């Protein structure tokens, strides 16, 4: 293919200057945002230092400080009070993250993700370990890639098991209606992640099939009345209404029954010990692109699936080293999906199962169909590789080195399995042994 974009040396120099300056501006903005956050934390400390004798007076002290700042910033005092609380949490509970934010090494978005994921960790020691794990990734990855990693890292450091928290959260499941303007309303469902995302995927499949069928009928009949102009979101809404209003429930009231009815495509990663360990010790599974799921749900899904991949990992780093399957077929493709898990262009998180398989060195140019020459790219970045001056090469071990049109290089590392448990994690979760009888 011809790559005509950005081949002019003059334009390349200009683009290089723009990229360098933009990077400096972004770092400066991050540092200024960090200064603002530090000032909000100081304001929270001022409110805390005000004399008070009851919860109400402490609340009033914070409200008085927040309204003062809100008048200056011309925003809601409720918003300022929430920002003060977050800023105080960052400075007091996550000092290393605050320092990295102040130095401009991470963005406001990275900081917010670390704060949200780490806040539930119960102990100061756990939060310190969490920062040590997450900050290096935050300094090299995009926020959308950092989010699932931060959630998983925080989960391993929680004192209350995921199984126990999920069991309590399931009790809050429900469906309710929220009124909206112009004769509209929202039907909200709150429930287990595996079920909710399976429902959405099933609706998407049905919507796509409906749109494809209507397109075929319109083409064959040459009748514009069959042309379906609805967006996918609109189709999902219409199909859901049709299913609920005309469908007949099958009486699947148990977790096993509901999970057994899933016909959507979902990817989960389940540590082998989670299939055998008791719930109190078992690590949670991972719903790809979303986050943890409880071990019980993971075991049910594994037990009912027609086939599954066995992924072998390094016991320390969690890096994928091999893949096998209970029912073998397309082994190389399964290996790549297990290794890559998402598009391998820097910053992209499109799921690997939705990506194109790509020969790093084109097959037409002699590139072998070998694992060392294959990677998963979403359609957008697959086209970018072939139709722009961006170049990529394999460094071995699944590492890809991308070179931009201006000569900058970016190394994208495979995330490996989404969930792995270290020996230290296992030891931390083991119950205290009984004292010796002598």
């Amino acid at each position: 293919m011809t790559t005509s974009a950005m081949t002019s040396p003059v334009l390349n120099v200009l683009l290089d200057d723009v990229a360098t300056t933009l990077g400096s501006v972004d770092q400066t903005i991050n540092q200024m945002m960090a200064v603002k956050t530090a000032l909000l934390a100081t304001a929270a400390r001022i409110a805390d230092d005000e004399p008070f004798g009851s919860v109400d007076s402490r609340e009033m002290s914070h409200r008085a400080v927040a309204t003062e700042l809100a008048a200056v910033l011309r925003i809601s005092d409720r918003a300022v009070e929430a920002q003060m609380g977050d800023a105080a949490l960052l400075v007091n509970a996550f000092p290393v993250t605050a320092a990295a934010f102040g130095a401009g090494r991470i963005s406001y978005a990275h900081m917010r993700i670390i704060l949200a994921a780490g806040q539930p960790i119960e102990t100061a020691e756990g939060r310190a370990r969490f920062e040590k794990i997450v900050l290096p990734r935050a300094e090299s990855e995009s926020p959308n890639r950092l989010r699932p990693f931060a959630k998983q890292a925080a989960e391993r450091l929680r004192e209350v098991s995921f199984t126990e928290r999920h069991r309590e959260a399931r009790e809050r499941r429900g469906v309710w209606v929220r009124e909206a303007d112009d004769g509209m309303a929202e039907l909200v469902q709150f429930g287990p992640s595996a079920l909710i995302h399976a429902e959405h995927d099933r609706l998407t499949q049905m919507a796509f099939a409906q749109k494809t069928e209507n397109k075929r009928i319109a083409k064959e009949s040459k009748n514009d009345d069959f042309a379906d102009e609805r967006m996918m979101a609109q189709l999902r809404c219409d199909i859901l209404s049709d299913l609920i209003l005309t469908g007949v429930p099958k009486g699947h009231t148990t977790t096993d029954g509901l999970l057994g009815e899933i016909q959507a495509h979902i990817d989960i990663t389940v540590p082998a010990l989670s299939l055998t360990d008791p719930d109190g010790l078992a690590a949670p599974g991972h719903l790809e692109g979303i986050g943890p799921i409880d071990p019980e749900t993971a075991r049910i899904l594994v037990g009912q699936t027609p086939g599954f991949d066995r992924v072998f990992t390094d016991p320390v780093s969690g890096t994928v080293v091999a893949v096998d399957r209970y029912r073998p077929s397309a082994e190389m493709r399964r290996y790549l999906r297990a290794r890559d898990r998402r598009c391998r262009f820097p910053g992209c998180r499109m799921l690997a199962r939705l990506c194109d398989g790509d020969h790093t060195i084109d097959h037409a140019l002699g590139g072998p169909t070998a694992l060392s020459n294959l990677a998963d790219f979403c359609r957008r970045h697959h086209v970018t590789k072939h139709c722009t001056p961006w170049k990529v090469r394999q460094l071995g071990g699944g590492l890809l080195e991308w070179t931009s049109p201006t000569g900058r290089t970016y190394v994208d590392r495979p995330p490996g399995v989404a969930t792995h448990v270290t020996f230290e994690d296992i030891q931390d979760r083991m119950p205290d042994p009984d004292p010796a009888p002598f």
Side-chain angles (χ1 to χ4, degrees), residues 8-22:
S8 165
V10 175
L11 291 179
N12 265 338
V13 171
L14 178 60
L15 178 60
D16 184 60
D17 289 342
V18 169
T20 300
T21 305
L22 187 61

Side-chain angles (χ1 to χ4, degrees), residues 110-131:
H110 289 94
M111 182 272 289
R112 293 291 304 170
I113 289 170
I114 293 174
L115 208 62
Q119 183 176 359
I121 299 175
E122 295 87 351
T123 65
E125 180 185 1
R127 290 191 293 269
R129 290 175 60 189
F130 171 72
E131 288 186 288

Side-chain angles (χ1 to χ4, degrees), residues 1 52 62 65 89 110 129 156 165 181-182 187 219 249 286 312 337 352 367 380 386 405 413-414 421 434:
M1 296 183 181
F52 57 86
H62 275 258
V65 173
L89 176 66
H110 289 94
R129 290 175 60 189
R156 298 201 301 270
R165 301 198 318 272
D181 296 331
D182 304 320
L187 181 69
K219 183 177 180 180
H286 181 79
F312 300 90
R337 288 181 178 175
R380 175 184 176 86
H386 287 285
R413 294 170 173 79
V421 182
D434 294 331

Side-chain angles (χ1 to χ4, degrees), residues 166-306:
H166 177 75
R167 189 176 294 120
E168 293 178 359
R170 278 184 62 93
E171 297 302 315
R172 302 194 301 272
R173 68 188 183 277
V175 176
W176 56 89
V177 174
R178 292 176 181 164
E179 295 297 333
D181 296 331
D182 304 320
M184 302 294 285
E186 296 178 351
L187 181 69
V188 182
Q189 180 183 6
F190 176 76
S193 295
L195 292 178
I196 298 298
H197 286 279
E199 290 172 15
H200 184 272
D201 191 85
R202 179 83 181 277
L203 288 170
T204 300
Q205 292 181 33
M206 297 173 75
F208 182 79
Q210 182 65 59
K211 198 171 184 68
T212 301
E213 178 64 12
N214 288 346
K215 183 177 180 180
R216 182 190 65 80
I217 295 174
K219 183 177 180 180
E220 290 180 355
S221 64
K222 298 181 181 180
N223 187 343
D224 291 338
D225 291 341
F226 286 101
D228 198 334
E229 303 296 334
R230 290 175 293 178
M231 306 290 288
M232 289 297 288
Q234 294 171 324
L235 277 164
R236 279 193 291 262
C237 179
D238 295 344
I239 291 172
L240 178 61
S241 297
D242 188 22
L243 288 172
I244 292 177
L245 295 176
T246 64
V248 178
K250 293 186 177 181
H252 294 297
T253 57
T254 65
T255 301
D256 292 32
L258 289 169
L259 292 172
E261 286 298 297
I262 291 179
Q263 298 179 28
H265 186 118
I266 60 173
D267 289 332
I268 62 168
T269 300
V270 186
L273 292 179
S274 294
L275 302 178
T276 57
D277 281 351
D279 287 346
L281 298 178
H286 181 79
L287 183 61
E288 186 58 36
I290 306 301
I293 60 172
D294 62 292
E296 181 183 3
T297 295
R299 283 193 287 267
I300 293 171
L301 290 173
V302 169
Q304 295 176 341
T305 188

